[in-house]
Amino acid sequence: MQTSQSFGIHFTTRPDKAKDGKEPIYACVTVNRQRAYIALKQNVDPKNWDSGKGTAKGNKDEVKSINNYLEEVRLAIGSSYKELQLKRKMLSAKAVKDLYLGAEQEVYSMSRLFSYHNESSTTDLKWSTLKHYYVTQRYLIKFLNIQFNASDIYLHQLDYKFVKDFEVFLRNHKPKDHQKPLNNNGVMKHIIRLKKMVNLAHNLQWISNDPFATYKLKIQKVNREQLSEVELKAIEEKKFGIERLEMVRDMFVFCCYTGLSFVDVSNLEPEHIVTGADGDRWIRTCREKTLIPVIVPLLPKALTILDKYKDNERALYDGRVFPKISNQKVNSYLKEIADRCDILKNVTFHIARHTFATTVTLSNGVPIETVSKILGHTKITTTQIYAKVVERKLKEDMKMLQSKLSH
């Protein structure tokens, strides 16, 4: 791999390492403003050294011998640099130094980190999470092509400027396909994934410096969208007369009353519907994302939908409660459903989960601890995000307080 690089060799001495009145000579190799020092097997009297020219001065045979040696070193280091160029390898001051010294020390690159991360994460991360790392990695490769005219980079070259420049690249990137430009939080998600991969390299001792030491993430707080009671009722009661819209509406409403995500309702099997000690039917399953057990009591409206699909041939064939359908199609059909119900919000399937948390449960006095348990959240602070937007419940609580105070 060849990039546009500046290359230079300069000889200098180290007064702090002087011994018997003589200072050791070092070769300073510079590649693209990065330096590496090579200790040479020569010492010189500081009186006989020209620091500006980087050569010994005088007419003595000893001085001439030193300069001849330095010239040989210059040619050898230059040959090492050219060899890296010819082999199309990454060029850096350290790479030139290692080749000159014949060092076999392993040098780690970004592409190697990608490979190790992806291979080692298959057991730790679900595919739904891991695939986002692949997207981040593709953005990083595009960034390297534009910023460095390269497809790879050494990990020891990563610094604060690299991270900041990558952030600027993401903010200015304009996709040529149907995708929208990244918003602030979308950019930050890619930066967070890069940080996690760099932390992995640091733990593996593949990198000694931390490029994120002084970098600050800039996450913007956003309001979680949900349907109001009126909007939810409009979708529940609407007659579409089209099977695909009816099915997607039923799945969506079912999740509005159970809090399941799209992947969890898609994986829901008849055996996950159990009868509790109270004689009522419950959902007993695990969240696909976190593998946390989830137990959900089935409300009457969810039960009605469940009974509607108990004999559905498509669902039974796949051993599922609902027929299979892709997330992309579901969200496309939900936009059509919202349009037919005169709902102006950007309705996606995940809004069902938000609606369950706010309109269906918190707004009706269900304790936040209970809601957090049903949603399968590991931290109650995650559930508290929804509690901030329940205006109707706040008004009811204040009216009750006002009534008590007036008496």
Side-chain angles (χ1 to χ4, degrees), residues 63-334:
V63 170
K64 291 179 181 179
S65 176
I66 290 174
N67 287 335
N68 289 336
Y69 170 74
L70 296 183
E71 192 58 34
E72 290 175 4
V73 170
R74 186 188 301 276
L75 291 173
I77 294 175
S79 296
S80 297
Y81 176 78
K82 289 179 181 178
E83 184 177 338
L84 289 174
Q85 279 187 316
L86 291 171
K87 291 183 177 180
R88 301 183 66 81
K89 292 190 174 182
M90 286 181 291
L91 298 173
S92 71
K94 186 177 184 301
V96 174
K97 173 184 176 179
D98 289 344
L99 184 58
Y100 169 76
L101 294 175
E104 296 180 357
Q105 184 179 359
E106 201 160 10
V107 181
Y108 299 98
S109 66
M110 181 77 78
S111 62
R112 179 157 185 191
L113 177 60
F114 290 166
S115 298
Y116 183 84
H117 173 270
N118 297 339
E119 290 172 8
S120 62
S121 298
T122 52
T123 56
D124 301 328
L125 301 176
K126 292 290 182 182
W127 169 246
S128 57
T129 301
L130 185 57
K131 68 181 181 182
H132 294 302
Y133 279 90
Y134 283 98
V135 176
T136 300
Q137 289 165 12
R138 287 198 294 270
Y139 273 121
L140 279 163
I141 291 171
K142 286 182 180 178
F143 168 67
L144 289 173
N145 283 327
I146 293 173
Q147 189 78 3
F148 302 99
N149 190 31
S151 59
D152 206 352
I153 189 171
Y154 285 126
L155 294 181
H156 66 73
Q157 292 178 273
L158 303 186
D159 54 15
Y160 174 87
K161 186 177 184 299
F162 180 91
V163 179
K164 193 64 183 176
D165 288 347
F166 181 51
E167 178 193 334
V168 173
F169 164 78
L170 291 171
R171 292 188 184 282
N172 295 331
H173 182 66
K174 296 179 180 178
K176 295 181 180 179
D177 54 13
H178 65 281
Q179 296 176 344
K180 296 179 180 178
L182 293 168
N183 59 22
N184 177 79
N185 287 2
V187 170
M188 288 298 106
K189 285 179 181 179
H190 288 296
I191 299 294
I192 288 171
R193 292 184 200 114
L194 172 60
K195 183 177 182 180
K196 287 181 178 179
M197 288 188 286
V198 169
N199 284 342
L200 173 62
H202 194 270
N203 292 335
L204 291 168
Q205 296 184 341
W206 288 6
I207 185 173
S208 57
N209 62 305
D210 181 10
F212 288 90
T214 57
Y215 182 86
K216 302 294 182 184
L217 292 167
K218 298 177 283 292
I219 306 293
Q220 293 178 351
K221 292 184 178 180
V222 295
N223 288 328
R224 301 296 179 101
E225 194 80 274
Q226 76 283 330
L227 297 181
S228 65
E229 279 190 25
V230 174
E231 291 167 334
L232 178 56
K233 187 176 181 181
I235 290 179
E236 288 179 38
E237 298 179 350
K238 184 73 173 180
K239 302 296 182 183
F240 295 102
I242 302 175
E243 185 180 354
R244 61 181 173 82
L245 295 183
E246 295 277 353
M247 186 194 76
V248 170
R249 185 271 308 278
D250 291 341
M251 288 180 67
F252 179 81
V253 172
F254 182 81
C255 290
C256 285
Y257 288 99
T258 60
L260 295 181
S261 65
F262 173 76
V263 66
D264 291 333
V265 76
S266 298
N267 293 334
L268 195 64
E269 301 175 6
E271 64 186 42
H272 296 145
I273 311 301
V274 299
T275 301
D278 56 2
D280 293 334
R281 283 187 284 175
W282 294 63
I283 293 175
R284 188 185 296 272
T285 184
C286 285
R287 287 209 67 196
E288 172 80 11
K289 185 176 180 181
T290 59
L291 298 180
I292 293 175
V294 174
I295 303 175
V296 184
L298 283 164
L299 298 172
K301 291 187 178 180
L303 279 169
T304 301
I305 296 173
L306 197 64
D307 292 336
K308 178 180 176 180
Y309 284 85
K310 67 180 180 180
D311 297 320
N312 185 280
E313 292 183 0
R314 285 176 56 198
L316 291 173
Y317 178 80
D318 293 318
R320 299 288 192 270
V321 170
F322 292 100
K324 276 188 177 181
I325 186 171
S326 70
N327 193 18
Q328 187 176 7
K329 282 187 177 181
V330 162
N331 286 325
S332 175
Y333 296 159
L334 280 174

